[in-house]
Each structure stands twice: as structure tokens, then as C-alpha cells.
Amino acid sequence: MNYSRNLRKMIFTSVAGLVILNGASLPAIHANAATLPVSGISALLSENLGGSPSATAGVSEILRSTVSTDEVEADTETADPYAPDETGVAKAGSAYGYTHLGIASVEGNLNIRETPSADGKMVGKLPNKHACEIVSSTGDGWYQVTSGEVSGYVSSEFILTGAEAEAIAAEQMSTSAYVNTDNLRLRSEPNTDSDIVAEVSNGTPLELIEDQGDWLHVSIDNDEGYVSAQYVTLNTGLPVAMTMTEARYGVGVSDVRIDLVDYACQFIGNPYVWGGTSLTHGADCSGFVLSIYAKYGYSLPHYSGAQANCGTRISASEAKPGDLFFYGGSSISHVAIYMGNGMIVHASSPREGIKTSSAFYRTPLCVTRILPD
């Protein structure tokens, strides 16, 4: 019998699901020669040839001359170590400080919920391209995650993992300078004789523009300046989720004030756009305030310095939700809405977008009340 000719015929006809040898039917081989390893095909065909030594040798020889070694090796390459496994969670492996890195891929913000349900209470927001640690998968479309100070559940549909997540992470890595002293002075030039642009409180993050050694060129909101390197701590990492801790309102606060702050907080995470007034597509600090107040029937100018001249000046200790806090150096350059409980919501900068901060993350120049008591 000419095994060589028959075996070659078997290899090329196996994909049809039926092989005939000497009038006997062999089991269908549901794979082609390029995807089934040589040893596997050899064993399978030799078994159906009755284990003949000459047949076995012939099988191996013909398969090695027929199947491309490159094709076989290509099919056995190691999988991406960060690709999702059968449960949908990225496999273990450190990437950018995360064991199971996830990156939000959503227009706007991804809601983080207390329970794995669209009806779950919202505990935070994960903006587009921000990072999270995937803790586990529920198996029904939800990931349990942690990001910054927020822990909860997000829809896995909007989370990138593996190589896709790492590619985004490489673009999003940035360095922030965290103030580690009280009332740090941001100066116009890298020396102590220059003008003071702002005073910044302990723990406030500054965007690092350039490390100049003893001095750092930084920005806060849209104000640029210099701070002494000894009074800040540098930290490089990925942007993370924002908390949605509810503001605690004092006794006697009107429903209008509460409603205005709640309305303003709906837009946390949306973009900052210089000169913009759109709450969804982008606003600057005064454009954000202008648009929030417009909903309640107040017409304000589109300039923070001019807004400070509206209403009545009050002390910071008298502030109620909805009052306006103004910041700057020698003149007003930034405005925010007071939320209550020592917090503000504001359109910060192109990098930060609309966010919450401590009302005293910078020293306020003045506080203004426009809403009636």
C-alpha cells in the first residue's frame, strides 16, 4: 500500500469532515492542518491506521513537509497577559501601578454605583479615559472597581482592559505637585521677590508644567506661576474617579439654593472650554456660573471680575449654598459656586474640567451673595 499518497490525500480532505482509507470511514477531523499541531494530527491519523509503525512514521514525515512550521508556532503564541479571561476580568499583571487596569471609554462620565444595577445609588463618576482597578466581575455585565477614593460598580461595556487600556494609560499619565504646607504662595516668577499670583492651601494639587529644580512652573485653574519645590510633593499617576459625597445643608437654607447646587453638580466631569458657556460641551469658570444662574432667572456677565460686583459682599463664614467664591492674585481671575460643608463646584481648567474642591483650596479674595435668603 502506498501510505504516502493516501496520507497526503487525507490531510487535504480532512477539512471536509470525512476521510476514506481502503473503503473504511474514519472519524471527521474538525480542524485543518494549519491549526492542529503536527503531533495531534499524527496521533489521530495513526490511530485510525491501526497503529502501524510504518504508517506512524509516514504520518509524521508527511505532516512536517506539508504543514508550515511558522503557522503552527503562530497559533501557539502567548496571549496578552492583560487580556480579559473567561470571566471578563483582565489577567493579573502590573501596569501603571494597577494589577487589573481598567480605563473608562464613554462619552462624558461613567457612573459608579453602590450596587451592580442601573438603579443603584451613584457614589462617583469616572470620566472618559480615567483609570480604575478592576476588583472582580459579577459575570452579568458589571465590574466591581476602585478608583481614587471611590469604590463601587460600573458597566463593563464601557471599560477597556489589556493592551487597549495600556495604550490610553500611556497618553494619560501625568505628574501633579501636591502642596505640603499651609498657604503656599504661587508667584509670577521663580523668586520670592515677584508678585503673588495666589495662595494655595495644604493638600491642593497643582498641575506641573515644568520642573526647574528649586522652582516648579505650575498652574491652578487657569493661573500659572512658580512655587518652591521644597513645599510640594510630586506624584505621577493616572487620573481617577470623582466622589459624589452629598453636600450637607444647614438649617434655613432655601429650596432654591439646594436645587441650584444639585443642578450644578450634575455637570461634574464635563469639559472646561475657554470662553464657553455650555454645561455639557464646555464652559470656563464664569461661563459655568453664568449658565447655572441663568436657569434660575439671573443674568450675569461673562467675566469673573464683573460677577464679583453683582449682589452683596459677605464673609466666607456667612456663606450658604449657591453663594459665589472668587479667587486670584492681585485681581480676581476665578469664580466658583459654594456647595455648603466647605466645598465648591467650579469649572477649573482644561485638564480638570468641572469639579469639586475645598472652598479654601486657595485663599478666596471675596465672597458674593446673589440669591435671596
Side-chain angles (χ1 to χ4, degrees):
M1 174 183 284
N2 191 331
Y3 282 111
S4 179
R5 184 176 4 154
N6 288 333
L7 287 170
R8 287 185 185 278
K9 180 178 179 181
M10 289 166 61
I11 291 168
F12 290 106
T13 59
S14 62
V15 291
L18 185 65
V19 180
I20 304 298
L21 181 65
N22 290 337
S25 295
L26 296 182
I29 303 172
H30 298 290
N32 62 39
T35 60
L36 187 60
V38 170
S39 59
I41 298 175
S42 175
L44 181 58
L45 292 180
S46 296
E47 179 182 349
N48 284 278
L49 288 171
S52 167
S54 58
T56 302
V59 168
S60 299
E61 180 181 351
I62 294 169
L63 285 174
R64 285 185 169 79
S65 65
T66 304
V67 180
S68 165
T69 301
D70 292 340
E71 289 175 324
V72 173
E73 290 178 351
D75 289 321
T76 59
E77 289 180 356
T78 302
D80 180 353
Y82 301 111
D85 61 19
E86 63 276 5
T87 66
V89 179
K91 295 178 182 178
S94 179
Y96 297 95
Y98 292 76
T99 301
H100 300 86
L101 175 65
I103 298 289
S105 178
V106 63
E107 190 160 337
N109 303 282
L110 180 58
N111 293 331
I112 303 177
R113 300 191 179 274
E114 191 173 58
T115 57
S117 166
D119 297 325
K121 177 183 176 182
M122 189 163 63
V123 294
K125 288 190 174 186
L126 188 63
N128 186 41
K129 296 185 178 181
H130 284 42
C132 66
E133 177 75 34
I134 301 176
V135 178
S136 65
S137 171
T138 64
D140 57 357
W142 292 87
Y143 284 152
Q144 182 183 4
V145 302
T146 61
S147 181
E149 298 179 3
V150 183
S151 296
Y153 295 85
V154 297
S155 173
S156 58
E157 177 184 357
F158 303 106
I159 294 291
L160 299 177
T161 60
E164 287 183 300
E166 290 188 39
I168 298 295
E171 300 172 356
Q172 296 299 307
M173 286 289 285
S174 62
T175 301
S176 293
Y178 288 84
V179 177
N180 58 25
T181 188
D182 292 330
N183 300 320
L184 177 62
R185 292 175 176 177
L186 181 70
R187 296 191 177 270
S188 60
E189 299 294 335
N191 60 68
T192 55
D193 296 326
S194 58
D195 294 337
I196 298 172
V197 176
E199 289 190 3
V200 190
S201 65
N202 199 335
T204 299
L206 306 172
E207 182 177 353
L208 179 66
I209 298 174
E210 183 183 6
D211 186 342
Q212 298 184 353
D214 292 338
W215 290 84
L216 303 178
H217 186 191
V218 299
S219 69
I220 183 168
D221 303 323
N222 266 330
D223 292 329
E224 290 189 20
Y226 297 83
V227 294
S228 174
Q230 65 180 311
Y231 298 118
V232 299
T233 302
L234 296 180
N235 180 62
T236 299
L238 295 172
V240 294
M242 298 172 288
T243 61
M244 291 293 290
T245 304
E246 296 180 354
R248 297 176 182 175
Y249 301 106
V251 177
V253 177
S254 68
D255 290 341
V256 171
R257 288 179 176 273
I258 294 174
D259 190 68
L260 183 145
V261 171
D262 284 346
Y263 178 64
C265 287
Q266 293 180 34
F267 306 103
I268 291 172
N270 286 352
Y272 177 104
V273 174
W274 177 261
T277 59
S278 172
L279 297 173
T280 53
H281 295 102
D284 59 15
C285 66
S286 58
F288 174 65
V289 170
L290 177 158
S291 295
I292 294 297
Y293 267 76
K295 175 178 170 61
Y296 296 87
Y298 294 88
S299 178
L300 299 180
H302 192 179
Y303 171 56
S304 58
Q307 289 178 354
N309 294 323
C310 299
T312 303
R313 294 284 178 95
I314 60 173
S315 67
S317 61
E318 298 176 283
K320 296 180 179 181
D323 290 337
L324 301 181
F325 274 58
F326 294 89
Y327 306 88
S330 57
S331 62
I332 291 170
S333 60
H334 191 68
V335 59
I337 298 173
Y338 187 60
M339 299 169 60
N341 197 35
M343 298 294 292
I344 55 170
V345 56
H346 58 139
S348 174
S349 68
R351 177 186 173 189
E352 300 288 345
I354 298 171
K355 60 178 286 188
T356 61
S357 300
S358 163
F360 302 96
Y361 79 117
R362 301 169 64 175
T363 303
L365 295 183
C366 65
V367 180
T368 294
R369 173 165 295 164
I370 295 175
L371 296 174
D373 289 336

